[in-house]
């Protein structure tokens, strides 16, 4: 299982979702991971309102 910690930060919700998507895409070894599985719009639904960032950035 892969987790990505998100905390309040300077990036807009949509930008944070895109960063999470990129991070997930890099972590998966299976190259069939695509936008149908998890795309930034779907990820954005799970983020709280306001700015955010990936904790490791």
């Amino acid at each position: 299982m892969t987790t990505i910690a998100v905390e309040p930060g300077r990036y807009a919700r949509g930008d944070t979702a895109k960063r999470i998507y990129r991070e997930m895409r890099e972590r998966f070894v299976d190259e069939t991971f695509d936008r149908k599985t998890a795309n930034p719009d779907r990820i954005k639904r799970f983020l709280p309102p306001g700015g955010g960032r990936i904790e490791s950035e």
Side-chain angles (χ1 to χ4, degrees):
M1 183 163 148
T2 299
T3 59
I4 298 174
V6 180
E7 64 185 16
R10 64 181 180 189
Y11 301 111
R13 217 166 114 197
D15 292 337
T16 303
K18 288 176 190 173
R19 289 172 179 274
I20 293 169
Y21 174 77
R22 282 189 221 121
E23 183 73 26
M24 289 174 67
R25 194 177 60 204
E26 289 174 7
R27 290 185 186 188
F28 279 91
V29 176
D30 183 5
E31 293 184 9
T32 60
F33 180 80
D34 62 3
R35 289 183 160 274
K36 292 178 187 175
T37 306
N39 64 45
D41 288 332
R42 287 185 182 182
I43 294 169
K44 188 169 132 178
R45 293 180 199 165
F46 294 96
L47 296 175
R53 71 180 192 96
I54 295 175
E55 190 175 83
S56 62
E57 290 181 334

